[in-house]
Amino acid sequence: MELADLEAAFAPNHSKFHARRVYDSVYAQRSFDPTLIPEPIRDQYKTGALTEAEKYVSADGTVRYLMQLHDGKTVETVFMTEGSRDTICISSQVGCPVDCKFCLTALMGLERNLTAGEIVGQVLHVMQRHNLAPKSRTMNIVMMGQGEPLMNLDNVLKATRILIDQRGIGMGERRICLSTSGLIPKIEELAQATIRPRLAISLNASSEEQRQEIMPITKKWHLADLLETCRKFPLKPKEHIFFEYVLLGGVNDSDADAERVVALLQGLSCKVNLIPLNPGPGIPYQTPTDERVDRFQRIIMKAFHCYVRKPRGRDIYAACGQLKLVQLSSPTALSPTA
Ligand code: SAH
Ligand code: SF4
């Protein structure tokens, strides 16, 4: 709930001041005490609080949490720390209905959307566990866990408003980013929102045909139209669109692909993140060699800022595109760490 929702829920029998105390304990203090809520109100609502079902710690320090929802379903939340910067990768849906051919989450299909409370609840849990405070260290949130955030846009926007409320969690708006497979009408809707995350597009291919093959959603929302929508996207000062590009060895990682990507993105205020494929059972692609990734990056860098996303937590299946299925299909593949 946003503060106004909470005040409305408390009215008319309980004061705004009382509602504000609850808001403060949940979002600012992060030490939620349910007894603060008057009983009749408490019984009326479910909390978005999640319970930690499993925790896996990678050799590189990345932590993957399996978070249980009130109905027993689970989602993944990943915590990464590097230097003075922390990043929390959160899920927006249980599973994902988009069938990208390189992604493990795709094999689950969609189970359901998360509520705004469940989206924010993942952040609160990680903040509590790692003692994080956005005002003392740089904290980023990426909506790049399970799910297609634009298929759950209302809850994603509500969660964003809660995350950046300075009376509560107090994140910087610029520090929240969502990544999409490219749902054109929803990108247009996102563009209308006053408070919204930054936009990352999973480009992943250098031509319409290639993209259709690895991201069949392209048959519905064509690449040329997607880029046109990006060109019209109203950017705030100093804002860029991020383009993510999963490198699949021998499929989309040639010099010619890199040159085509540069041509496609011409004129856009953007940055490119390359993600060498994180492998997984049943994923029919190869991770390219470091030399290939390096060549590809050099070509893109002639035109745009371009970073290679370091694989984080590959050993615990916490890296991009690896979320969920391993835990489901072979629970013994990993040993949880307390
Ligand atoms: N559904 C959203 C956000 C979650 S996926 C989207 O697709 O954008 C987050 C990122 O992980 C996307 O850029 C996606 O292309 C990438 N990804 C998916 N599977 C991957 C894999 N096996 N290896 C590397 N990156 C992958
Ligand atoms: Fe869904 Fe993103 Fe995976 Fe595609 S890459 S299946 S959109 S989670």
Side-chain angles (χ1 to χ4, degrees):
M1 282 187 178
E2 294 175 69
L3 182 56
D5 302 332
L6 202 62
E7 286 172 352
F10 272 53
N13 297 331
H14 303 277
S15 67
K16 277 190 174 182
F17 175 75
H18 193 160
R20 179 74 182 260
R21 245 177 62 209
V22 172
Y23 189 86
D24 186 72
S25 90
V26 174
Y27 296 121
Q29 311 301 327
R30 296 180 284 284
S31 59
F32 178 51
D33 172 7
T35 60
L36 275 179
I37 303 180
E39 233 169 73
I41 302 179
R42 207 188 313 160
D43 297 343
Q44 241 176 304
Y45 295 94
K46 285 196 279 289
T47 75
L50 316 176
T51 47
E52 186 181 304
E54 301 281 10
K55 175 186 173 189
Y56 306 92
V57 182
S58 162
D60 67 21
T62 299
V63 185
R64 175 169 80 113
Y65 291 100
L66 187 70
M67 301 300 300
Q68 185 157 342
L69 313 173
H70 69 87
D71 58 359
K73 293 185 188 297
T74 53
V75 289
E76 316 266 337
T77 307
V78 180
F79 173 67
M80 294 161 276
T81 184
E82 189 157 37
S84 60
R85 207 165 69 154
D86 300 322
T87 304
I88 307 174
C89 175
I90 58 176
S91 297
S92 53
Q93 299 183 308
V94 185
C96 182
V98 183
D99 55 351
C100 304
K101 302 300 179 201
F102 43 81
C103 176
L104 271 183
T105 311
L107 302 179
M108 293 177 63
L110 175 68
E111 294 189 18
R112 71 167 170 88
N113 277 339
L114 296 188
T115 63
E118 290 163 338
I119 297 172
V120 175
Q122 297 170 67
V123 176
L124 290 176
H125 183 82
V126 174
M127 288 179 79
Q128 247 170 3
R129 279 300 224 136
H130 299 269
N131 221 349
L132 309 181
K135 288 186 179 113
S136 55
R137 268 169 73 79
T138 305
M139 185 173 129
N140 293 309
I141 291 181
V142 291
M143 298 186 185
M144 297 188 186
Q146 281 171 33
E148 166 49 71
L150 292 189
M151 286 185 176
N152 189 15
L153 184 57
D154 288 348
N155 289 335
V156 159
L157 288 177
K158 181 169 182 180
T160 305
R161 291 192 299 271
I162 293 172
L163 288 167
I164 70 152
D165 186 357
Q166 299 304 306
R167 298 165 297 190
I169 300 174
M171 293 264 325
E173 184 177 359
R174 295 169 49 84
R175 301 250 157 241
I176 306 175
C177 179
L178 72 70
S179 172
T180 176
S181 56
L183 279 76
I184 293 174
K186 290 286 169 184
I187 297 173
E188 289 165 350
E189 207 177 313
L190 178 72
Q192 305 299 318
T194 324
I195 293 173
R196 59 160 174 80
R198 306 180 86 182
L199 178 62
I201 304 279
S202 295
L203 179 65
N204 297 343
S206 69
S207 69
E208 174 78 9
E209 303 69 51
Q210 197 183 62
R211 199 168 192 268
Q212 280 193 13
E213 206 172 291
I214 60 175
M215 297 180 73
I217 195 167
T218 312
K219 291 180 190 148
K220 183 152 188 204
W221 307 115
H222 299 295
L223 180 56
D225 300 333
L226 173 60
L227 293 170
E228 193 48 40
T229 306
C230 291
R231 290 199 159 82
K232 289 193 209 128
F233 193 80
L235 295 174
K236 299 181 178 175
K238 292 199 195 151
E239 189 181 2
H240 299 91
I241 297 182
F242 295 95
F243 285 90
E244 334 239 31
Y245 194 96
V246 181
L247 287 162
L248 310 172
V251 175
N252 66 356
D253 65 342
S254 68
D255 288 359
D257 284 307
E259 273 146 22
R260 275 195 294 270
V261 168
V262 169
L264 285 175
L265 302 182
Q266 218 42 259
L268 274 155
S269 170
C270 67
K271 296 185 180 180
V272 180
N273 286 323
L274 302 177
I275 320 177
L277 176 78
N278 294 308
I283 299 299
Y285 299 106
Q286 309 273 317
T287 309
T289 61
D290 290 350
E291 295 73 50
R292 185 86 298 277
V293 174
D294 196 55
R295 289 255 334 202
F296 199 96
Q297 182 187 21
R298 277 167 203 275
I299 297 170
I300 305 278
M301 270 169 59
K302 287 185 197 153
F304 303 104
H305 284 287
C306 176
Y307 306 95
V308 177
R309 180 96 55 79
K310 264 203 308 200
R312 299 296 308 258
R314 256 191 204 165
D315 55 339
I316 54 163
Y317 278 86
C320 305
Q322 293 188 310
L323 297 182
K324 185 68 173 207
L325 209 82
V326 167
Q327 200 273 341
L328 275 181
S329 60
S330 60
T332 52
L334 302 164
S335 50
T337 315

